[in-house]
Structures are given as C-alpha cells and as structure tokens.
C-alpha cells in the first residue's frame, strides 16, 4: 500500500492519521507540491485533478480523501473509525459536510496566508486573514454546542469525522490562532482530547513543520525523497 502526498498537506494528513489509527504503515511517495509535481503527467495519471493524497493498493488507485479514508477504515484492522449505529453514521457524514461547507472555505485561506504564504511567494493578504478569522466563527460555535452532548463528533468514539477537522485546528493552533478554540469550553476539551492522541503526535508533531522558523521546502525533500 502506498500513499502519494506531502507531509504538510492538510488532506494527506487526514489519510496519514487514518493509517496511524489503523496501525498500518504504508509506503510514502513524496509529491512536492511546492515544486508543482502534482501537476506533472506522472501524478496526473494517478489523480486527473492534480491533487494529493492518492492511495495505491495492489494496483487499485484511489483519490479523494474521504473515499480513501473510508476504504482504509473498512479494509484494515486497528481502531474502527466508522460507527455502526445509524444515527452515529449520520452524524459522521454531517460533521464532515459541515467542515466542507462552513469551516474549510474560511479556515483554509486563513491557513494558506498564515502557514503557507511564505512558500508560495507574495505578501500575506490582511483582508483574507480577517475574512477567514471571522468566517470560521459560526462553524466553531456549532462544534462547541454539539460537543456539549458527547465526547466525539459522531458519538462515543473517535471517528473519521474528528480526523477530518484535525489538520486545520492543528495549523491554527500552531500559529497562535488558538484563542477561538480555547475560549469555547467544549471545543477546547475535544481538541485537547483528540490532539493528544499519540497517533496525532506522530502524524503532525514529529518531523519538520511548515510554521517553524527558517524552515525551507528542501528539508522535506531531503528527508522524504530517499524514502520514496
Ligand atoms: N477534494 C480533494 C482535495 C485534495 C486537495 O485539495 N489537496 C491539496 C493538498 S491538502 C492539493 O493537492 N493542493 C494542490 C493544488 O490544489 O494545486 C480531497 O479530498 O482529496
């Protein structure tokens, strides 16, 4: 089994976290997004839209993070990340859709400015930052009120829905944008609970990070290219 992706990529991290929870070590092939490798023919053959991650499993090639993670969860042992109960499955889908519709459209541009702008070139856009900060508040309110009722988004156990939110909250926390998380009690408790999982430390807190001072993209290339 092989994952094509980049260790800093938000969507790659969702898949790496799923694999970590399933206690499965896949091969990793670095796709250097900062060098545009995701738009080269070799990668477009795997993913016609030129994105990461892509999963390859014994000749079966799959792209789109949600589909990949569902596949991994069904196929592999380890923790079960999809509930069985009808209403918990519905909640899982609901919270992934809420992220897609009401959170990511605001949080992602904010993270691009605060974390990735320095690798993309150009100046930070203050308007995008302000709009992102403001725009993500209703989704954080909804999270906070929902998490008053249960420990995880789908129900009593950690699931693919929780994983879906993690990379955004991680980057926001690491660049000092954690006040909106901290001031919401249930959200803060949930974030502490899920981000302190050993698996998350392995996926998102070990190795070089894009928000570190003096970090360059070459560091990742040197580290992962020889392993690819
Ligand atoms: N809908 C896709 C989105 C994947 C995606 O946007 N990946 C980002 C990295 S987190 C990417 O490849 N960006 C490169 C680009 O858009 O050019 C999925 O869920 O896998």
């Amino acid at each position: 089994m092989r994952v094509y992706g980049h260790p800093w990529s938000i969507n790659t991290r969702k898949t790496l976290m799923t694999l970590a929870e399933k206690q499965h070590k896949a091969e990793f092939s670095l796709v250097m997004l900062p060098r545009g490798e995701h738009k080269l023919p070799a990668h477009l053959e795997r993913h016609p839209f030129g994105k990461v991650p892509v999963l390859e499993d014994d000749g079966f090639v799959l792209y789109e993070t949600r589909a990949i993670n569902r596949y991994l969860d069904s196929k592999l042992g380890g923790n079960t990340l999809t509930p069985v109960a009808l209403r918990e499955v519905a909640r899982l889908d609901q919270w992934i859709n809420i992220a897609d519709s009401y959170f990511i459209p605001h949080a992602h541009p904010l993270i691009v400015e605060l974390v990735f702008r320095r690798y993309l070139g150009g100046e930070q856009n203050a308007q995008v930052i302000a709009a992102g900060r403001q725009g993500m508040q209703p989704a954080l309110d909804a999270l906070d009120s929902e998490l008053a009722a249960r420990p995880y988004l789908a129900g009593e156990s950690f699931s693919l829905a929780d994983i879906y939110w993690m990379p955004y909250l991680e980057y926001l926390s690491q660049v000092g944008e954690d006040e909106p998380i901290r001031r919401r009690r249930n959200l803060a408790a949930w974030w502490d609970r899920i981000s302190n999982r050993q698996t998350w430390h392995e996926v998102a807190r070990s190795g070089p990070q894009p928000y570190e001072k003096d970090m360059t993209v070459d560091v990742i290339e040197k580290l992962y290219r020889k392993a690819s």
Side-chain angles (χ1 to χ4, degrees), residues 84-103:
V84 176
L86 179 63
R87 291 182 182 183
E88 293 200 354
V89 178
R91 291 252 188 253
L92 181 147
D93 287 332
Q94 180 190 31
W95 280 97
I96 288 179
N97 280 21
I98 291 170
D100 279 341
S101 301
Y102 312 116
F103 180 65

Side-chain angles (χ1 to χ4, degrees), residues 2-90:
R2 180 175 290 276
V3 174
Y4 294 85
H6 192 288
W8 293 349
S9 131
I10 282 170
N11 286 295
T12 302
R13 284 183 168 193
K14 296 174 191 171
T15 290
L16 295 179
M17 180 61 175
T18 303
L19 282 164
E21 289 285 330
K22 305 302 286 180
Q23 292 159 23
H24 186 87
K25 194 130 186 66
E27 304 294 320
F28 187 78
S29 285
L30 179 66
V31 179
M32 274 299 279
L33 302 184
R35 302 207 195 292
E37 286 180 6
H38 51 308
K39 303 297 181 195
L40 296 179
H43 190 71
L44 290 171
E45 247 179 62
R46 293 175 210 117
H47 194 316
F49 300 95
K51 309 263 184 196
V52 295
V54 174
L55 179 76
E56 201 178 274
D57 181 26
D58 201 15
F60 175 60
V61 178
L62 186 65
Y63 60 87
E64 286 306 302
T65 309
R66 279 186 73 174
I68 292 171
N69 292 353
R70 283 273 197 169
Y71 175 80
L72 293 173
D73 191 32
S74 300
K75 168 158 183 162
L76 302 173
N79 293 338
T80 298
L81 300 168
T82 307
V84 176
L86 179 63
R87 291 182 182 183
E88 293 200 354
V89 178

Side-chain angles (χ1 to χ4, degrees), residues 166 170 190-197 200-201 205:
M166 293 182 80
E170 175 70 19
W190 167 74
W191 176 238
D192 284 344
R193 196 152 50 239
I194 62 175
S195 63
N196 281 317
R197 293 174 87 85
W200 187 245
H201 281 266
R205 293 180 181 170

